[in-house]
Amino acid sequence: MTRHRQETHGAQSVTGGPPLLRQINQRKILAILRSEGPARVGELARHSGLSRPTVTHVLDQLSEAGLIDYLQDHPDGRGQLGRPARVARFRAEAGYVLGIDIGPHQTAVIVADLDGRSVATTRRSTSSAHDQHQLLAAVRSAIETALEQAGVTEQAVLSVAVGSPGIIDRRVGTVVRAPGLPGWTALDLGEELGRFFRCPVLLDNDVNLAVLGERWRGVAQDTDDVVFVLWGERVGAGICIDGEVHRGKAGAAGEIGYLTVLSKDAAVAEPDGEGRGPFEREVGARAIIRLAHELAARPGHTSSLAGRPTLDVPAVFAAAAADDPVGREVVDTVAARLAAGLAPLLLVLDPDMLVIGGGISRAGARIIDSVAAHLRRLVLVPTPVRLSALGQDAVVTGAVRQALSEVEQRLLPNPETARDGAD
Amino acid sequence: MTRHRQETHGAQSVTGGPPLLRQINQRKILAILRSEGPARVGELARHSGLSRPTVTHVLDQLSEAGLIDYLQDHPDGRGQLGRPARVARFRAEAGYVLGIDIGPHQTAVIVADLDGRSVATTRRSTSSAHDQHQLLAAVRSAIETALEQAGVTEQAVLSVAVGSPGIIDRRVGTVVRAPGLPGWTALDLGEELGRFFRCPVLLDNDVNLAVLGERWRGVAQDTDDVVFVLWGERVGAGICIDGEVHRGKAGAAGEIGYLTVLSKDAAVAEPDGEGRGPFEREVGARAIIRLAHELAARPGHTSSLAGRPTLDVPAVFAAAAADDPVGREVVDTVAARLAAGLAPLLLVLDPDMLVIGGGISRAGARIIDSVAAHLRRLVLVPTPVRLSALGQDAVVTGAVRQALSEVEQRLLPNPETARDGAD
């Protein structure tokens, strides 16, 4: 009630206002510095609508808190009365955030400053980790290496966001279900990683972070409603609606690996022995290799893929690019299958854009074009289909974005809302 | 900039504040009266955190604007110093809203006051309308009858919301595509209906309004993410995410009638001669009747449905309820088909609830239970499946809610946010 009175009736004097108002003014000035870059008191007063004495006072407070400092050499700065104009600058190095992507093959860590600039990046193979303990040790080692490279202490880390496969219970930071990672299911990852840091550790499904990454720095920067489909051994979708990740009531939104649209007869959404859903079994990496073996073994066909004891996805896609008939048939078949699974998603959401990423998508634009062509026949209103711009960095980039958002919500104003705040 | 200063620095005196602040206080007091019911000055001062003189002043302004009046006989009211306490009351009759549902068979109109209470309801058959002109005339006549019944003039109508089948371009109020209504496609319904009224006329897809209706007064009152599936001759979904209708980039979200999940071979999302999509052709009313004819005609079967020249959906469902083998087979078959189409929707969204409405759903709980049973095998995390509580009133109820929301955004505070505003 008291706080409300303050908000309504405001301050009676410029510098003697109540704490909340001071905080509002601090946020306003910080937001302008973050969005517009270094600025002098007069510029800040004009942008903020605050008086020059208020701006000066707020800058002193922010400087004391370590969030700004002063430049003496503003590019177009000129002194008043012969004195050099004090130019205030947001200290992006006042703190750091960590983005982490834990996958079945590798773990990636990015250390970024408060402007989101990457200061250090580490990748560590996790293929050889056979249990929870080894996997966590590899993750920890990657974090330590990244911090060391960046010259950043754990105390300077203000927020950590982690992407992991599986259905995540974000309230308690637990991986509820994660096929494909040894010992990962039922792991209290939030608590385990929380031991490394004093700051908040946010856990999310990796594809949910990938969609944030593409919206922040990838192909989906101008979209509000966008779907990121991870297409690799696993298949899953990250869904962004009105700029927010849609996770569903149990964190299971976008689990399209369990679609049964391609299954015959009495299909059920059940994982196989290795935790793969029905749709993943039809369009995942293993299905592609199996299909290539089958088609190449047909009598009467000549294919560069025939008779090769081992095949991998890049080899099959390279054959398709070289106009090998079997390669082309495989690509067209899996593209048609993927489109059959994605069509319901597009009919349901009618998003601004569909982004396809993951290991298989990196085989190139040809398969994306083929998927898009199949999709056009299956939906009412076509959706632009794009290849992920961030590739294997989509998840870890989204994790940095998520950690920054957490800091901004808790400590800093978001530069994107600066203009709203200043008008 | 000027306005911003006012917000930040606030008023210097209680009643002489700038217009914006006065408006904020008016909204605050109105919000309390709408959520808590009639109240005295002292109660309003306590709830709002405003002083008694400010409350009195605001009440005078609201009374002048016709938005409140005074009761003399508050249930638990006692006078101060022997005078009767003035009890202020929100005048829900200060204005009215109209909800309209235009369907291929009938048009429904509800006139409601500003508390959302229905004052009059009209239904008018539109089956005999053969073109745009006749349909619009029927709609207009239904509106006039409803207003007359309510004793409300057109001038007192503050907002109108209209639900129509089809893909709607809400920016310009045009029906982009509406199979099933004669001449409806490419109709500028917003402009046509706008001629009847001076107030805003909002046009939306009917299923989008149905989901709002169920969230407001139906089975989905405690949900944020809910999907309403209309199951009749047409099949479509209205999607509510975080309490907001999700419409998609072209207003085509939820157009699941065009799902091809049940189609064999090279299916395409194309309408048939009557504008029905592939999924509608498998699970719509006509498909049910065709299936019943086929199954009843098989040799060696005894069924009450055999040999009947005409069948309708209620007859088939009644037979199923009476344990007729063909009736039961039809119900189970179409329930399985519907579930196959809805499973992708649930895998994508993982909503709090799935509500099934429309003509076929009104055949009863048996078919809903059957759909739910099939769905459980097709998804990872089960979604509660409920029969629409509003039946044929879902769309028109949602239209009233939509019109009220428009008024609340433009003129009135929403009672649901009153507590946030007062604390």
Side-chain angles (χ1 to χ4, degrees):
Chain A
M1 209 55 100
T2 311
R3 213 169 81 168
H4 188 92
R5 273 177 190 273
Q6 289 167 358
E7 276 189 73
T8 311
H9 291 287
Q12 302 306 312
S13 74
V14 168
T15 55
L20 178 70
L21 183 65
R22 247 187 351 241
Q23 209 185 348
I24 290 172
N25 289 342
Q26 286 179 12
R27 289 181 76 90
K28 196 182 301 180
I29 295 298
L30 262 188
I32 295 170
L33 289 175
R34 290 193 73 199
S35 64
E36 308 292 328
R40 285 165 296 183
V41 169
E43 294 165 336
L44 291 168
R46 270 198 307 282
H47 264 78
S48 64
L50 299 174
S51 70
R52 292 175 66 108
T54 301
V55 170
T56 303
H57 186 76
V58 166
L59 287 176
D60 287 348
Q61 294 166 333
L62 291 172
S63 166
E64 215 166 289
L67 287 169
I68 68 148
D69 58 13
Y70 298 97
L71 306 173
Q72 295 299 340
D73 51 348
H74 194 228
D76 59 329
R78 254 207 310 245
Q80 287 179 313
L81 307 171
R83 279 188 296 130
R86 284 213 307 182
V87 176
R89 178 192 76 103
F90 171 62
R91 291 186 67 240
E93 69 278 21
Y96 294 87
V97 299
L98 250 66
I100 304 177
D101 169 18
I102 302 178
H105 300 303
Q106 65 170 9
T107 284
V109 180
I110 288 181
V111 183
D113 69 17
L114 294 181
D115 280 341
R117 269 188 298 261
S118 169
V119 184
T121 306
T122 325
R123 289 184 188 285
R124 184 78 29 115
S125 167
T126 42
S127 301
S128 58
H130 293 302
D131 60 24
Q132 208 178 94
H133 182 74
Q134 291 176 2
L135 193 50
L136 273 171
V139 171
R140 177 163 203 160
S141 154
I143 293 170
E144 281 165 1
T145 304
L147 287 175
E148 204 172 304
Q149 273 178 19
V152 168
T153 63
E154 276 180 25
Q155 285 73 35
V157 177
L158 300 179
S159 194
V160 179
V162 185
S164 157
I167 298 176
I168 311 285
D169 186 337
R170 295 176 82 232
R171 285 163 311 164
V172 293
T174 299
V175 181
V176 178
R177 189 166 178 166
L181 275 180
W184 217 233
T185 295
L187 173 65
D188 197 344
L189 192 57
E191 194 187 314
E192 291 292 340
L193 291 175
R195 284 188 202 146
F196 302 180
F197 302 100
R198 293 177 193 173
C199 68
V201 176
L202 307 170
L203 184 61
D204 208 338
N205 174 272
D206 50 4
V207 194
N208 289 345
L209 295 181
V211 71
L212 288 181
E214 291 289 343
R215 254 198 105 225
W216 187 34
R217 293 191 163 164
V219 288
Q221 291 183 34
D222 298 321
T223 65
D224 288 324
D225 299 341
V226 56
V227 177
F228 181 101
V229 169
L230 180 91
W231 190 18
E233 283 180 37
R234 294 176 309 117
V235 181
I239 297 164
C240 202
I241 293 184
D242 265 344
E244 300 284 333
V245 173
H246 173 71
R247 298 183 174 86
K249 75 171 184 311
E255 289 289 339
I256 60 172
Y258 287 80
L259 283 168
T260 56
V261 294
L262 297 169
S263 314
K264 311 287 176 281
D265 309 323
V268 290
E270 272 186 3
D272 63 8
E274 291 172 278
R276 289 186 180 78
F279 190 54
E280 286 166 331
R281 300 200 287 272
E282 296 286 341
V283 301
R286 199 170 301 187
I288 292 174
I289 293 163
R290 194 181 59 229
L291 183 65
H293 276 300
E294 281 171 18
L295 296 187
R298 284 176 306 184
H301 277 67
T302 53
S303 165
S304 63
L305 298 171
R308 284 164 64 169
T310 58
L311 281 176
D312 56 17
V313 172
V316 175
F317 282 39
D323 249 359
D324 178 86
V326 166
R328 286 177 53 187
E329 192 176 347
V330 172
V331 166
D332 192 59
T333 303
V334 295
R337 288 181 186 172
L338 189 76
L342 299 188
L345 195 158
L346 300 186
L347 279 168
V348 167
L349 292 176
D350 185 20
D352 300 324
M353 185 182 287
L354 171 66
V355 181
I356 302 184
I360 296 173
S361 73
R362 290 199 277 281
R366 186 197 183 101
I367 187 111
I368 302 296
D369 292 343
S370 182
V371 172
H374 284 288
L375 273 174
R376 273 193 294 276
R377 298 188 305 119
L378 295 172
V379 297
L380 273 186
V381 181
T383 301
V385 182
R386 298 279 180 275
L387 181 65
S388 159
L390 300 175
Q392 65 176 354
D393 288 333
V395 176
V396 72
T397 302
V400 170
R401 177 64 264 170
Q402 183 83 319
L404 268 180
S405 297
E406 195 278 323
V407 171
E408 283 167 354
Q409 210 170 28
R410 195 162 42 94
L411 302 170
L412 286 178
N414 183 336
E416 283 173 29
T417 58
R419 279 180 201 83
D420 299 343
D423 288 336
Chain B
M1 209 56 103
T2 312
R3 214 170 82 171
H4 188 92
R5 273 176 190 275
Q6 289 169 358
E7 278 188 73
T8 311
H9 292 285
Q12 303 306 310
S13 75
V14 166
T15 55
L20 179 71
L21 183 65
R22 244 185 356 239
Q23 210 185 348
I24 289 171
N25 289 342
Q26 286 180 12
R27 290 181 75 90
K28 195 183 299 180
I29 296 299
L30 263 187
I32 295 169
L33 289 174
R34 293 194 71 198
S35 66
E36 308 293 327
R40 286 165 299 183
V41 168
E43 294 164 337
L44 290 169
R46 270 199 306 282
H47 264 78
S48 64
L50 300 173
S51 69
R52 292 174 66 108
T54 300
V55 170
T56 302
H57 186 75
V58 166
L59 288 176
D60 287 347
Q61 293 167 333
L62 291 172
S63 167
E64 216 167 289
L67 287 169
I68 68 148
D69 58 11
Y70 299 97
L71 306 174
Q72 295 299 340
D73 51 348
H74 195 226
D76 59 329
R78 251 204 314 239
Q80 287 181 311
L81 309 169
R83 280 187 295 130
R86 283 212 307 181
V87 175
R89 175 191 79 103
F90 171 62
R91 290 186 67 240
E93 69 278 20
Y96 295 86
V97 299
L98 249 67
I100 304 177
D101 169 19
I102 302 178
H105 300 304
Q106 66 171 7
T107 285
V109 179
I110 289 181
V111 183
D113 69 17
L114 295 180
D115 280 341
R117 269 187 299 262
S118 170
V119 183
T121 306
T122 325
R123 289 184 188 285
R124 184 78 31 114
S125 168
T126 42
S127 301
S128 59
H130 293 301
D131 59 25
Q132 208 178 93
H133 182 76
Q134 291 177 3
L135 192 51
L136 272 171
V139 171
R140 176 161 204 163
S141 155
I143 292 170
E144 281 165 1
T145 305
L147 287 174
E148 204 173 303
Q149 273 179 20
V152 167
T153 63
E154 277 178 27
Q155 286 72 37
V157 177
L158 300 179
S159 194
V160 178
V162 185
S164 157
I167 298 176
I168 311 285
D169 185 338
R170 295 175 81 231
R171 284 163 309 162
V172 293
T174 300
V175 181
V176 179
R177 190 166 179 168
L181 275 181
W184 217 233
T185 294
L187 174 65
D188 196 345
L189 193 56
E191 194 187 314
E192 292 292 342
L193 291 175
R195 285 189 200 145
F196 302 0
F197 302 99
R198 293 178 193 172
C199 67
V201 176
L202 307 169
L203 185 61
D204 208 339
N205 174 272
D206 51 3
V207 194
N208 289 345
L209 295 181
V211 71
L212 288 181
E214 290 290 344
R215 255 198 102 224
W216 187 35
R217 293 189 164 164
V219 288
Q221 291 183 34
D222 298 321
T223 64
D224 289 323
D225 300 340
V226 57
V227 176
F228 181 100
V229 170
L230 179 91
W231 189 20
E233 285 180 35
R234 295 178 308 118
V235 181
I239 298 164
C240 203
I241 294 184
D242 264 344
E244 300 285 333
V245 172
H246 173 71
R247 296 182 175 87
K249 75 170 183 310
E255 288 290 339
I256 58 172
Y258 287 79
L259 284 168
T260 56
V261 295
L262 296 169
S263 314
K264 309 286 178 282
D265 309 321
V268 289
E270 273 184 5
D272 63 8
E274 291 173 280
R276 289 186 180 78
F279 189 55
E280 286 168 332
R281 299 199 288 272
E282 296 286 340
V283 302
R286 199 170 302 185
I288 293 174
I289 294 164
R290 193 182 58 230
L291 183 67
H293 276 299
E294 281 172 18
L295 296 186
R298 284 176 305 186
H301 277 69
T302 54
S303 166
S304 63
L305 299 172
R308 285 164 64 169
T310 59
L311 281 176
D312 57 16
V313 171
V316 175
F317 282 38
D323 250 357
D324 177 85
V326 167
R328 284 178 52 189
E329 192 176 346
V330 171
V331 166
D332 192 59
T333 303
V334 296
R337 289 180 186 173
L338 189 76
L342 299 188
L345 196 159
L346 300 186
L347 280 168
V348 167
L349 292 176
D350 185 21
D352 299 326
M353 184 182 287
L354 170 67
V355 181
I356 301 184
I360 298 173
S361 73
R362 290 199 276 282
R366 186 198 183 101
I367 185 106
I368 301 296
D369 293 344
S370 183
V371 172
H374 284 287
L375 272 174
R376 273 193 293 276
R377 298 188 304 119
L378 295 172
V379 297
L380 273 185
V381 182
T383 301
V385 182
R386 298 278 179 275
L387 181 64
S388 159
L390 301 175
Q392 64 175 355
D393 289 332
V395 176
V396 72
T397 302
V400 170
R401 177 63 264 171
Q402 182 83 319
L404 268 180
S405 297
E406 195 277 325
V407 171
E408 283 167 354
Q409 207 169 30
R410 194 162 42 94
L411 302 170
L412 286 178
N414 183 336
E416 282 172 30
T417 58
R419 279 179 201 83
D420 299 342
D423 287 338

